[in-house]
Amino acid sequence: MAKTGLAFSGGGIRSAAFCSGVLRRLLQRNTKIDYLSCVSGGGYTGTAYLDWKYRHGKKDDPKWHQEFFDYMRERAGLMCNWQKPLQGMRDTLVLLSLMLLVSVIMPIIVWGSYIVPLAFAIDFIFGNLLRAEDTTCEDASSATTGSPITDSLVVNATAAESRRVRCKIVAGTKAYERLVLFSTLAVFFVGFYLLAKRLRNGFNAKFYIISVVCGLLLAFTFIPYFIHFVLNATPIWARLLIIIFSIFVWFFFPVLRGKSSFVLVVYIYAYCVYWKVFGFQYGATIFGVEYSHHLFYRLLFASGIILWFVPGLGAVQQRLVYVFNR
């Protein structure tokens, strides 16, 4: 016996309106629909129809068909049902609350719960190395040859002194180890990424994971160090420029939303790592909050509790959206 399949294409609200008309005409002709495929805007009509059908025992009936299309017509406004103002205001508030929950509150709770544990781990492993300040500077005239200098930078001293000073990173010092750490992570990140792109066997996924781990370690060690020793000397608008640019890209370039979100998350994470690593010794602040061990470990405890409930928060979010759609 031949079966009937129906496909609803995408196209936003225009597709939803057109597909609802097609569906209504087919149901008026008592056409049995065995398969239904929906994309994007066509899914508005298709999922609503299936929801009503499952509520009525998976059986089509002209009575609830009429109720279904009347229900859709009542809610065919810009956002909610404004034929009944009070109900429209209520629906709009619920919709805006759900949008705020899904787009802002949930990401902050989920992603924010990992920030403090990450900052604790980076400080525990690399904290002493990042805080070390053993780059030595001396007069250029008194510098001797033959010392194990791996890198040197000649800079002008203040106008009052008007003499040249040579700053050097000596092998075996913390500054030297820090330079080796940054360089090694950068080489591993680029190298394993290129290997993952070129290889087509089962190792490319493993190489890609190693590349991502090295890249994140580089970001969460170098960026906090850069923030403390370089970026803090710049105006606050310059420090906020990355956040503003990422938000701008997110809104106006949908294709790059994933990458801009990733950059924004990494930058905010790096700032929190900077707060932990340099907070106690240098009095670092974030959003005007000065670091203290008491505050940090309370946040760490709260993050641990939130992480227990993160899986359940996703289910609550889906349930709220489902209740609103009904």
Side-chain angles (χ1 to χ4, degrees):
M1 182 178 179
K3 294 186 177 182
T4 303
L6 182 61
F8 288 158
S9 65
I13 193 64
R14 293 173 298 176
S15 173
F18 178 80
C19 293
S20 64
V22 172
L23 178 64
R24 184 172 188 178
R25 177 59 65 183
L26 291 174
L27 293 177
Q28 287 176 347
R29 294 185 174 184
N30 296 321
T31 302
K32 182 182 178 182
I33 302 172
D34 300 293
Y35 301 100
L36 181 61
S37 175
C38 307
V39 177
S40 190
Y44 300 155
T45 300
T47 53
Y49 164 69
L50 290 180
D51 179 60
W52 275 68
K53 186 172 182 177
Y54 272 79
R55 284 194 238 174
H56 293 83
K58 302 181 183 180
K59 296 181 180 180
D60 286 303
D61 184 85
K63 182 178 180 180
W64 73 258
H65 288 169
Q66 184 62 39
E67 295 177 358
F68 166 67
F69 287 106
D70 290 342
Y71 182 86
M72 290 187 64
R73 189 181 297 107
E74 289 178 358
R75 285 156 177 78
L78 179 61
M79 292 180 65
C80 301
N81 178 17
W82 288 106
Q83 294 181 359
K84 300 177 181 178
L86 292 179
Q87 182 179 346
M89 293 175 63
R90 184 202 65 185
D91 291 347
T92 301
L93 289 175
V94 173
L95 178 61
L96 293 177
S97 300
L98 286 174
M99 291 173 61
L100 183 65
L101 175 67
V102 174
S103 304
V104 180
I105 298 177
M106 286 293 296
I108 289 177
I109 293 176
V110 174
W111 290 102
S113 59
Y114 295 98
I115 292 180
V116 179
L118 174 69
F120 176 81
I122 295 295
D123 179 66
F124 181 79
I125 300 173
F126 304 106
N128 293 331
L129 192 61
L130 295 176
R131 284 187 293 266
E133 290 188 29
D134 52 0
T135 300
T136 58
C137 295
E138 59 182 15
D139 291 344
S141 58
S142 63
T144 58
T145 59
S147 59
I149 300 175
T150 59
D151 188 20
S152 63
L153 175 65
V154 179
V155 297
N156 290 327
T158 60
E161 296 176 345
S162 66
R163 57 187 174 84
R164 292 198 309 168
V165 175
R166 176 177 295 167
C167 295
K168 54 189 178 181
I169 299 177
V170 182
T173 61
K174 290 291 185 181
Y176 178 80
E177 294 175 5
R178 183 169 55 234
L179 180 63
V180 171
L181 172 67
F182 294 155
S183 303
T184 303
L185 290 175
V187 170
F188 278 18
F189 167 63
V190 175
F192 280 106
Y193 178 79
L194 294 177
L195 287 175
K197 287 294 184 181
R198 290 183 175 274
L199 296 179
R200 298 300 179 186
N201 51 25
F203 289 100
N204 59 341
K206 298 181 178 64
F207 287 158
Y208 182 75
I209 293 174
I210 296 175
S211 173
V212 170
V213 172
C214 292
L216 291 176
L217 284 176
L218 177 63
F220 296 140
T221 53
F222 176 75
I223 296 178
Y225 175 81
F226 181 80
I227 290 173
H228 177 68
F229 289 101
V230 178
L231 207 58
N232 277 345
T234 61
I236 190 171
W237 63 264
R239 284 174 270 170
L240 294 175
L241 196 60
I242 295 178
I243 297 178
I244 296 173
F245 180 74
S246 298
I247 295 175
F248 175 82
V249 171
W250 195 93
F251 274 105
F252 296 100
F253 298 91
V255 178
L256 300 176
R257 280 181 179 174
K259 295 182 179 179
S260 63
S261 299
F262 178 77
V263 170
L264 185 62
V265 169
V266 169
Y267 186 68
I268 294 175
Y269 270 44
Y271 243 104
C272 293
V273 173
Y274 149 77
W275 185 63
K276 168 58 179 169
V277 172
F278 298 98
F280 182 74
Q281 185 173 342
Y282 297 95
T285 61
I286 182 171
F287 302 115
V289 179
E290 189 172 349
Y291 175 84
S292 69
H293 287 317
H294 180 69
L295 174 61
F296 180 82
Y297 286 108
R298 291 180 69 177
L299 291 174
L300 184 63
F301 178 75
S303 298
I305 294 177
I306 293 174
L307 286 173
W308 279 96
F309 295 98
V310 163
L313 292 177
V316 172
Q317 171 188 329
Q318 293 179 357
R319 184 62 183 174
L320 289 175
V321 174
Y322 176 72
V323 169
F324 175 77
N325 288 335
R326 289 179 67 90

